[in-house]
Amino acid sequence: MEHARLPSPRWLNATVGVAGAAVVAPLVVSLTDWGSEPQARTFQELMHIPVILPTAILGLWLVLSRRDPAERRSWMFLETGFLIIAVAHAVSLAGDLRSRTPSFPTLADYLYTASLPFMVIGILLVPAAGRRRADRLKLLVDALIVVAGACMALWYLEIAPLLQIPGADVQVIAMSAAVPVLDLLLLFALVTLLLRHPDISGVVRLMSAWILLKVLTDTSYVIGLVQFGASFPANSWPFLLWSAADFLALLTVCHQLQQDDRPPVQYPKTHSFTWLPYGAIALAYGLLVFVGRNQSLYALGGMIVGAILLTGLVIARQMIAQRESHQLAVTDSLTGLSNRARLSDRIAEMTRQPPRAGRCKAVLLIDLDHFKPINDAYGHEAGDAVLKAVAVAMRAVIRAGDTAGRLGGDEFAVVLPNLPGRAAAEGIAQRLVDALRTPVVFGDLLLSVEASIGVALQDETTTNDPELLIAHADVAMYAVKRSGRGSYCVYSPELDTRAREGELRQAVANDELVVHFQPVVRLSDGVETAVEALVRWNHPTRGLLMPGAFIELAEETGVVTEMGEWVLRESCRQAAGWRRDHPQAESLLLSVNFSARQVTQAGLETTIAGILEETGFPADRLVMELTESVVLHPDEAIVARMTALRDMGVRIAVDDFGTGYAALSYLRTLPVTTLKIDRSFVTDIHTDPDAYAITEALVHLAKAFRLRVVAEGIETAEQAQRLIEMGCGYGQGYYYARPMTGSAFAERMATALEGLRG
Ligand code: C2E
Ligand code: MG
Ligand code: MG
């Protein structure tokens, strides 16, 4: 469709200039007291023509030239209003020219009044950016609050006095009341307009000024008439102000004509007129208090209704605001999904009740793969775009009643509280995997991520502890990550140990293990005669882990054999290095812990021999530490293996001696060379006579078997002193040194040597 061309700016300026002069002319007339009253009235009517006529013509132009249908519709109503007003002025002028005595209401009055509803609808239809339902509701309540406040003021100032005019004609009263009521609607429309437009543009500002001036003039005119019985001669201030209002309408049309004809696109976040409802409340209640001082309640009529309405509206508004702030507290601002807090709530809520028979519930944890590289390479905006796209995809997959949320970073979760069964959960997980594989368009880039999804189901047989459920989903998710990503996995108990086992195996393969060394000293002179190798795990996320955190699992899963080999090789390698660099390290013994699993392993002796060969560490400097549980029931193979090792020169120590309450017979069958008395005996040696007596007995026992004896866990000088007293040869503990890195130990040897030389 071809649209009308715009009028030239010069033409527009000229029109506005003429109209402006027509507005000012009656003022001049009234100041100079020109002519008789009817003449002045006719002149005044005449001067309306250059204002209203161009408004109506340009309004028509606007309707024809607008491409945006919403805007056209709004201007169609406004234009209808302008046309009616133009006709009203013409009719009024004709009446004046025929010099009929003015009576109220005339045809022109009816026409003016009839134009108002069109104006109201036109303003209500002024297009604004799209809004969510909640916002529209809030807007409506805000506007109603303003209008209710104004309604009370109008009741008090106009309508109530009008109703009380004695003997007045019903038609007169109806017409007189219609204008204030329609003005009220106009005000309502204006307030919604202001509330809908966060940044008040030129057009909206002009339109507001026009409507406000018009409403104020109407109101003050009626109040003047009914409250104060004032009469208004031609060209007096209400007429001048009405002209000015019409002029503002013309300016609005002109301004709109020069505006780009494009609907707004940005969604408004906050608007600067949020205080309006509160202003109205203050005004209304202020008025009520003021009036209530000296009037009976009955006379207040509409004001009481207004106050009740207003209070209800304020409460509604407050509730909406509250819901909104709650909404804000539980949503993730970037994606609009639920945040961590709401997800936790939903999971807790879900697990509180057991699932109905035949139904199940599920938690899905989703971690994006390859997200970090996108963030690093293309910046946070690209990352944000991906996260938003993920949220859209998730929303498309889940159903009402389910909750999708973002836990933070690139971690998401879905809570499915009502599923027909496991297959349904798997179906949703698979659909999410597929949906999240779709690449995201960002500028001219195609960014692709994948998702690893862990599923934890809750049915009659599984946990109903929310934390545990999440932990299970986490375990399942890591299982996916390990097995190649971009897929989902449902938690099962085996996964737990398997997950940790896999992690442990990787730790060995990825060199995440480290060996620390703790010196063993000769108690008589404090000379360090041995070091014990103690393994640690430098975990990528949990930091440095002590053996207590992983040795048991390593034993259970068998990882301990690989781990033990690694520790032996690594400690022999380092110790061989010390032997090369420090002469006093030549006599140093290296103690390495061996687990039960390792000892039962066929071919252990060959493995050890191989490692000694490879690292160049002498067999007769190596001590194998075995715990009592290993040596308790040695089978023939173990005895043979140990004997073979002993024949190679390797020494064998019994670790944690005394804790197994074992028969001592093994000390004769196995080629043991050393006993390490467990720390638990040493701890109380200086305070508890029993502990002293037992330790002493253990020391004597070791001597009876001609074994070297080492006391573990010496923490004080007193403990050391007692052990020396009872003839214990060697000791190890924090009192002498804590376990340290290999390089720290080498340095320690170097300084000790310097000390000797000095
Ligand atoms: P263990 O072989 O009896 O090692 C002595 C433990 O006592 C070490 O703990 C050491 O740090 C700690 N300790 C030493 N002096 C003191 C002291 O004065 N006070 C106290 N409170 N503790 C002291 P760590 O390093 O945590 O090792 C714990 C156990 O883990 C070891 O006990 C050993 O059974 C096992 N382990 C360590 N490394 C390995 C290994 O490579 N393979 C195997 N199979 N087990 C290992
Ligand atoms: Mg040990
Ligand atoms: Mg020990």
Side-chain angles (χ1 to χ4, degrees):
M1 176 177 158
E2 190 55 38
H3 292 280
R5 271 198 22 243
L6 292 184
S8 78
R10 203 165 345 127
W11 200 90
L12 278 182
N13 287 343
T15 311
V16 169
V18 172
V23 172
V24 180
L27 176 67
V28 177
V29 169
S30 95
L31 290 178
T32 54
D33 255 346
W34 174 84
S36 67
E37 169 66 20
Q39 276 173 328
R41 188 172 296 278
T42 308
F43 179 72
Q44 173 195 305
E45 280 297 350
L46 214 56
M47 285 300 103
H48 270 303
I49 305 296
V51 184
I52 189 64
L53 208 57
T55 310
I57 292 168
L58 290 174
L60 193 63
W61 203 320
L62 199 54
V63 172
L64 294 177
S65 68
R66 291 285 110 165
R67 252 169 304 166
D68 177 21
E71 208 176 299
R72 212 172 37 234
R73 201 162 347 123
S74 152
W75 278 102
M76 226 135 73
F77 279 95
L78 292 172
E79 170 63 10
T80 311
F82 294 146
L83 286 174
I84 297 177
I85 294 175
V87 174
H89 279 298
V91 167
S92 181
L93 184 64
D96 283 345
L97 289 178
R98 272 187 276 142
S99 63
R100 272 214 334 245
T101 35
S103 69
F104 184 80
T106 60
L107 176 61
D109 291 322
Y110 283 116
L111 285 170
Y112 284 131
T113 315
S115 73
L116 290 176
F118 292 97
M119 297 291 181
V120 172
I121 297 171
I123 292 170
L124 281 174
L125 288 180
V126 170
R131 284 179 170 272
R132 289 171 301 147
R133 235 192 65 176
D135 282 331
R136 283 206 301 270
L137 183 68
K138 203 171 69 180
L139 182 75
L140 180 73
V141 174
D142 278 351
L144 282 175
I145 288 176
V146 176
V147 172
C151 181
M152 289 172 66
L154 271 187
W155 179 275
Y156 174 65
L157 295 170
E158 297 182 42
I159 299 176
L162 266 172
L163 293 176
Q164 282 160 11
I165 297 174
D169 183 10
V170 180
Q171 218 178 357
V172 173
I173 292 181
M175 267 306 284
S176 314
V179 173
V181 169
L182 285 167
D183 274 347
L184 208 59
L185 289 178
L186 213 48
L187 193 69
F188 170 76
L190 177 66
V191 172
T192 57
L193 180 71
L194 291 178
L195 289 174
R196 275 183 301 156
H197 283 258
D199 30 71
I200 306 301
S201 68
V203 172
V204 174
R205 202 174 297 149
L206 281 172
M207 196 179 262
S208 312
W210 151 37
I211 300 296
L212 215 58
L213 185 60
K214 182 178 159 40
V215 169
L216 284 176
T217 313
D218 283 355
T219 310
S220 44
Y221 177 77
V222 177
I223 293 173
L225 269 185
V226 301
Q227 287 272 31
F228 306 106
S231 65
F232 298 103
N235 297 326
S236 60
W237 60 267
F239 301 104
L240 294 173
L241 289 179
W242 276 318
S243 280
D246 287 347
F247 181 66
L248 285 170
L250 174 65
L251 286 184
T252 310
V253 175
C254 289
H255 209 286
Q256 181 70 51
L257 265 173
Q258 289 165 311
Q259 286 299 299
D260 264 358
D261 157 19
R262 226 179 292 125
V265 281
Q266 271 290 310
Y267 177 71
K269 285 207 179 76
T270 52
H271 41 66
S272 42
F273 278 85
T274 35
W275 54 267
L276 259 176
Y278 303 103
I281 292 167
L283 173 74
Y285 280 114
L287 203 62
L288 200 63
V289 169
F290 174 75
V291 173
R293 278 179 324 160
N294 46 21
Q295 280 200 19
S296 80
L297 270 182
Y298 181 74
L300 295 178
M303 302 216 23
I304 290 176
V305 176
I308 292 168
L309 187 72
L310 204 56
T311 311
L313 285 169
V314 171
I315 292 168
R317 179 72 174 74
Q318 217 48 39
M319 277 161 65
I320 293 172
Q322 225 163 38
R323 211 182 55 189
E324 205 170 53
S325 68
H326 173 71
Q327 199 68 16
L328 216 62
V330 296
T331 43
D332 172 57
S333 56
L334 178 68
T335 59
L337 297 175
S338 298
N339 65 9
R340 181 181 280 274
R342 167 132 75 181
L343 281 170
S344 311
D345 275 1
R346 283 290 145 89
I347 295 172
E349 207 174 283
M350 178 180 91
T351 49
R352 217 167 285 142
Q353 285 168 5
R356 282 184 286 140
R359 314 284 300 176
C360 84
K361 309 171 174 200
V363 173
L364 273 56
L365 277 193
I366 302 166
D367 193 86
L368 300 184
D369 308 321
H370 325 301
F371 176 74
K372 206 179 162 314
I374 289 181
N375 231 358
D376 292 348
Y378 306 116
H380 287 290
E381 273 178 36
D384 286 357
V386 168
L387 294 175
K388 283 185 198 160
V390 164
V392 171
M394 283 174 74
R395 278 205 200 94
V397 171
I398 64 162
R399 305 154 313 165
D402 300 339
T403 308
R406 176 165 165 240
L407 293 167
D410 60 350
E411 269 201 330
F412 294 82
V414 174
V415 184
L416 307 165
N418 188 13
L419 292 169
R422 182 193 169 105
E426 293 196 37
I428 293 175
Q430 184 58 54
R431 260 178 286 149
L432 280 169
V433 167
D434 295 340
L436 299 185
R437 202 171 273 151
T438 321
V440 177
V441 182
F442 179 72
D444 44 8
L445 294 171
L446 261 192
L447 307 173
S448 62
V449 287
E450 275 190 324
S452 295
I453 303 182
V455 183
L457 293 168
Q458 189 203 0
D459 57 28
E460 307 89 60
T461 60
T462 54
T463 180
N464 55 4
D465 174 353
E467 308 248 316
L468 206 56
L469 203 64
I470 297 171
H472 285 173
D474 199 52
V475 166
M477 189 186 76
Y478 272 102
V480 179
K481 292 242 174 221
R482 268 198 316 280
S483 64
R485 299 156 189 262
S487 175
Y488 76 90
C489 170
V490 182
Y491 170 81
S492 66
E494 304 87 71
L495 224 49
D496 247 337
T497 28
R498 243 198 292 152
R500 297 182 55 211
E501 180 192 336
E503 209 184 7
L504 210 57
R505 259 182 222 289
Q506 285 219 306
V508 182
N510 294 352
D511 259 353
E512 286 171 21
L513 298 182
V514 277
V515 191
H516 283 189
F517 298 90
Q518 186 179 32
V520 177
V521 302
R522 190 158 58 210
L523 292 175
S524 55
D525 55 9
V527 169
E528 294 175 2
T529 58
V531 277
E532 181 176 2
L534 296 161
V535 68
R536 272 97 182 87
W537 179 3
N538 202 352
H539 193 281
T541 55
R542 290 157 67 195
L544 194 68
L545 300 181
M546 294 292 125
F550 58 91
I551 280 288
E552 209 173 310
L553 180 77
E555 284 267 0
E556 263 172 43
T557 55
V559 180
V560 80
T561 40
E562 297 157 41
M563 185 180 282
E565 260 181 48
W566 184 89
V567 172
L568 181 66
R569 181 175 291 111
E570 178 61 19
S571 51
C572 283
R573 189 187 64 75
Q574 294 202 33
W578 302 334
R579 287 170 63 85
R580 281 195 296 275
D581 300 345
H582 308 281
Q584 82 273 36
E586 281 205 352
S587 57
L588 199 70
L589 290 170
L590 171 67
S591 252
V592 179
N593 294 283
F594 279 74
S595 83
R597 256 305 244 276
Q598 279 176 284
V599 175
T600 52
Q601 200 191 3
L604 176 70
E605 57 276 35
T606 351
T607 311
I608 294 179
I611 291 174
L612 291 174
E613 166 95 50
E614 175 193 327
T615 55
F617 190 78
D620 67 342
R621 293 291 93 193
L622 179 66
V623 185
M624 286 174 75
E625 290 197 10
L626 311 177
T627 51
E628 267 194 325
S629 64
V630 178
V631 294
L632 194 54
H633 302 293
D635 60 20
E636 268 175 41
I638 293 182
V639 176
R641 204 168 292 139
M642 290 302 127
T643 314
L645 283 163
R646 182 72 198 100
D647 289 346
M648 278 163 57
V650 176
R651 299 167 195 228
I652 295 164
V654 177
D655 205 350
D656 306 340
F657 184 67
T659 53
Y661 310 102
L664 297 170
S665 53
Y666 70 79
L667 289 179
R668 295 163 62 145
T669 37
L670 279 177
V672 172
T673 56
T674 309
L675 287 187
K676 294 187 81 172
I677 298 175
D678 192 66
R679 184 165 67 92
S680 57
F681 299 104
V682 176
T683 306
D684 299 326
I685 198 172
H686 54 302
T687 51
D688 180 0
D690 287 348
Y692 186 95
I694 295 169
T695 312
E696 193 175 34
L698 291 177
V699 171
H700 289 161
L701 183 84
K703 285 197 163 156
F705 280 97
R706 289 194 196 78
L707 301 175
R708 198 178 170 64
V709 57
V710 182
E712 292 191 292
I714 304 173
E715 293 185 348
T716 65
E718 274 170 309
Q719 290 168 340
Q721 195 48 48
R722 296 294 150 83
L723 287 162
I724 293 169
E725 264 167 41
M726 59 179 76
C728 177
Y730 300 86
Q732 177 183 357
Y734 295 168
Y735 173 60
Y736 297 103
R738 285 179 177 260
M740 61 193 94
T741 59
S743 53
F745 184 73
E747 220 166 273
R748 188 181 165 89
M749 265 190 301
T751 32
L753 191 64
E754 243 153 54
L756 274 181
R757 285 206 191 112

